[in-house]
Amino acid sequence: MTAALGLIAVLALLGACGGKAARADRPTIRYGIATQGFTSMDPLKALQPLDRMLSMMLFDGLVRYRTGDTTAPFEPGIAEQVPQPMMRDGRQVWMISLRAGVMCPAGRKTPAYELTSEDVVYSLQRAGDPARSTFATAYTNYGAVTAAGPRTVEVTMKHPVSPAVFLASIANTEGGLVVCRKAVEAEGDREFGQHPVGTGPFTFKSHTPGQQVEVVANDAYYRGRPRAAGWTIRFINDDTARQAALFSGDLDLADPPDTGDRGLEAIDQRAELKTVTAPLFGTWYAMFNTTVKPLDDVRVRRALAYAIDRADFVASAGARTAKPTLSAWGDRLPGGVPDEHTERAGLAYQPDLDRARRMLAEAGYANGFDVTITGPGVRYYEILQAQLAKVGVRVHVKTVDTPTWQKAMLSGREPIIVTLIAYRPTPQIPYATFFYGPSAVLGGSRPAQNYNGYTGADPLIQQADQEADPVRQQALWEQINDRVLSDAVVKPLMVAYRSYGAVCGFTWGGVEPPVAIPANWQAGYDATVDPNATRC
């Protein structure tokens, strides 16, 4: 579809929805997102950004990221307080006391009821089941999970772990998001992802495939009644159409066009609009599949790393929303490794085309090679294609929609992927999810998101996972960084700070500019729009 036809189609749809009709005192926030839809709202299957956003709006964790503070990221959620470990009969035990009055809303097959310890036990056991969970690797340290009372849960570990490892596993993202057991059992796992029921600030209302998804306020939410009546999230993948909808007043919030800083500057120039930036959305990488020829040769992977220039990716994203990063998990993120360390270790892979060509020749590819990859039609794949062509690597990009791209990644056969790993509160989660052998999407004993089939850092990742001392654990995370980069499994590109265009009256209701982690959706319950604010 051309940009012009996309614009006409979207404006027709928005006109049918009422356009600039009078807004209620408690508005429904209209968000235009650059996607064709979601895959699943089940927290255990939430891989795409929209999936994760919806899961964080509909569900909640036992503990929560602390808005505005990435160095002390946890506060009580469904739990009455942040749990602390104790030793019992030589085993580490975490006792979790639940708040009273946390409600599971009514689903299409289940009535409303008060959440109990049985729901939490079921949620954590389900999160650790590799047959049901994409994030099961985060729960390998769990021994027994039991209900010690109607509002008390005990988790006995196989061996002591640090608070950073345990608390991240019960936080309000991924497997830590608590589900309502009765709804899962009534729907079944597959349908639950399309008709979710959770204890978050919003509840699922409807989904129109290819058009939008609607969520409405959960006024029984334990943190208080949301300020907005709900969110209507419209799927507008065409940049021109989405920006036109924002400029015409048919949206309150929108992803900017994929034109870097220029897209934000166009928003800045309009008196009735503003830009809203969310720090620490995540890290972008070029990922190399260690099981696919010729990338199974480390010399080839290192050559590609030297051929890729991260500066071009940063320029495309825009200096306002991206900063270059050298480390596998940089120190802009909690527990990350400083770029200075990676530079000193000789693992920064600063662009060097001559060196890349020599390495390819040593590996037997003096004339380069052809490789076919799948991409979602984003600019970054075009940059990758142009850069690798300079060293004779002929990249053929098969452009598909986002769900098809996701399936390609999960096939475990994609040679090269350009992708973002969203914020995690500790490096252990991305290391164990994306670079750990048992997490391989094909053949892994606990399949997660190791698209690369990499196993070279397994002993270090296991050791870090079982290290209870935070100082020694930090040192191990640094060693994992070095091993992953030495083996050229990824070329880190940039840390992204996701930005949006918004009407002047839009606010997250908290800190401005917002600093909620990750990607602001935990603060969505306090967002609203003041219809009287017409000048920023």
Side-chain angles (χ1 to χ4, degrees):
M1 179 183 290
T2 66
L5 288 176
L7 172 58
I8 292 169
V10 171
L11 290 180
L13 170 63
L14 294 173
C17 294
K20 294 185 179 180
R23 306 295 301 281
D25 290 338
R26 192 184 184 201
T28 294
I29 300 171
R30 304 162 303 170
Y31 171 37
I33 187 171
T35 189
Q36 293 116 334
F38 67 87
T39 302
S40 176
M41 292 176 280
D42 184 340
L44 301 187
K45 304 295 183 183
L47 301 181
Q48 297 184 53
L50 178 56
D51 299 351
R52 294 167 63 86
M53 166 188 150
L54 287 167
S55 69
M56 293 185 73
M57 296 175 85
L58 300 171
F59 299 88
D60 215 332
L62 293 163
V63 298
R64 299 168 50 84
Y65 298 106
R66 180 172 296 162
T67 301
D69 188 352
T70 62
T71 62
F74 300 114
E75 63 185 6
I78 295 173
E80 287 185 316
Q81 61 271 327
V82 176
Q84 301 296 321
M86 61 181 180
M87 299 301 294
R88 180 193 297 160
D89 299 328
R91 306 292 293 275
Q92 187 187 61
V93 179
W94 298 79
M95 183 173 290
I96 306 167
S97 298
L98 308 182
R99 295 177 189 264
V102 176
M103 298 299 296
C104 280
R108 66 173 185 167
K109 295 182 179 180
T110 51
Y113 68 95
E114 185 173 356
L115 186 87
T116 71
S117 55
E118 296 292 343
D119 293 278
V120 175
V121 170
Y122 177 81
S123 295
L124 293 176
Q125 290 177 340
R126 181 173 181 259
D129 182 353
R132 306 177 77 183
S133 171
T134 308
F135 309 108
T137 189
Y139 300 87
T140 55
N141 293 318
Y142 279 39
V145 184
T146 58
R151 290 196 290 114
T152 305
V153 174
E154 289 188 359
V155 182
T156 302
M157 309 305 288
K158 294 177 182 177
H159 48 76
V161 298
S162 70
V165 168
F166 180 76
L167 295 178
S169 73
I170 63 170
N172 59 324
T173 187
E174 299 178 344
L177 292 168
V178 173
V179 300
C180 297
R181 177 176 183 171
K182 293 179 181 179
V184 180
E185 292 179 337
E187 294 284 358
D189 280 351
R190 189 175 186 281
E191 282 301 308
F192 183 72
Q194 304 299 312
H195 302 278
V197 179
T199 63
F202 297 94
T203 61
F204 172 70
K205 179 183 179 183
S206 68
H207 170 220
T208 305
Q211 295 185 34
Q212 65 182 32
V213 62
E214 295 180 279
V215 299
V216 295
N218 174 12
D219 285 349
Y221 184 47
Y222 70 89
R223 291 174 63 89
R225 178 175 179 253
R227 296 177 67 191
W231 289 68
T232 297
I233 302 164
R234 298 175 182 166
F235 312 148
I236 311 177
N237 207 39
D238 182 87
D239 284 345
T240 303
R242 192 174 59 258
Q243 180 162 280
L246 178 66
F247 287 1
S248 69
D250 290 311
L251 295 173
D252 302 305
L253 187 72
D255 293 344
D258 187 17
T259 53
D261 287 350
R262 293 194 306 275
L264 299 182
E265 289 165 1
I267 293 168
D268 291 338
Q269 291 169 6
R270 303 182 73 93
E272 73 279 11
L273 297 176
K274 63 183 178 181
T275 55
V276 180
T277 300
L280 299 178
F281 183 52
T283 305
W284 281 92
Y285 303 85
M287 290 186 165
F288 308 125
N289 195 325
T290 63
T291 68
V292 174
K293 290 186 178 300
L295 281 78
D296 58 342
D297 188 327
V298 68
R299 295 172 296 178
V300 171
R301 298 197 302 272
R302 288 171 179 164
L304 299 186
Y306 279 115
I308 293 171
D309 188 346
R310 57 176 59 90
D312 289 346
F313 291 87
V314 173
S316 178
R320 289 171 59 178
T321 57
K323 305 295 180 186
T325 189
L326 308 182
S327 301
W329 198 250
D331 64 351
R332 289 188 178 90
L333 299 153
V337 176
D339 282 353
E340 293 79 5
H341 165 86
T342 299
E343 189 81 68
R344 288 195 305 271
L347 297 171
Y349 293 101
Q350 300 293 8
D352 189 332
L353 297 182
D354 289 337
R355 190 171 188 176
R357 293 186 188 102
R358 288 197 303 272
M359 286 183 165
L360 286 173
E362 291 169 6
Y365 298 96
N367 297 319
F369 57 88
D370 290 88
V371 61
T372 299
I373 62 178
T374 306
V378 297
R379 167 71 176 149
Y380 300 151
Y381 276 76
E382 297 173 3
I383 296 172
L384 178 79
Q385 187 179 48
Q387 290 184 346
L388 294 187
K390 295 177 181 178
V391 295
V393 176
R394 297 167 292 278
V395 178
H396 309 281
V397 181
K398 183 169 61 176
T399 301
V400 298
D401 59 24
T402 300
T404 303
W405 176 57
Q406 182 182 13
K407 290 178 183 177
M409 289 193 294
L410 292 173
S411 74
R413 294 187 290 270
E414 279 296 298
I416 306 173
I417 297 170
V418 180
T419 192
L420 176 141
I421 298 179
Y423 171 94
R424 305 304 203 272
T426 160
Q428 190 64 28
I429 299 176
Y431 288 156
T433 302
F434 293 90
F435 306 111
Y436 183 46
S439 299
V441 294
L442 283 183
S445 60
R446 306 189 76 83
Q449 291 169 270
N450 180 355
Y451 312 122
N452 316 298
Y454 179 62
T455 61
D458 283 6
L460 288 170
I461 292 172
Q462 292 167 358
Q463 190 177 348
D465 197 44
Q466 299 175 18
E467 179 55 69
D469 180 80
V471 175
R472 290 196 294 266
Q473 188 175 56
Q474 185 71 48
L476 287 165
W477 287 339
E478 186 175 278
Q479 293 176 48
I480 295 168
N481 171 83
D482 294 355
R483 181 66 57 82
V484 167
L485 293 180
S486 177
D487 289 341
V489 185
V490 295
K491 168 73 176 271
L493 301 174
M494 57 191 174
V495 173
Y497 303 79
R498 190 161 186 179
S499 294
Y500 311 88
V503 296
C504 293
F506 175 83
T507 177
W508 294 107
V511 179
E512 296 284 2
V515 288
I517 304 296
N520 284 352
W521 301 113
Q522 74 164 47
Y525 80 97
D526 212 18
T528 190
V529 176
D530 178 2
N532 298 316
T534 58
R535 284 286 187 268
C536 296

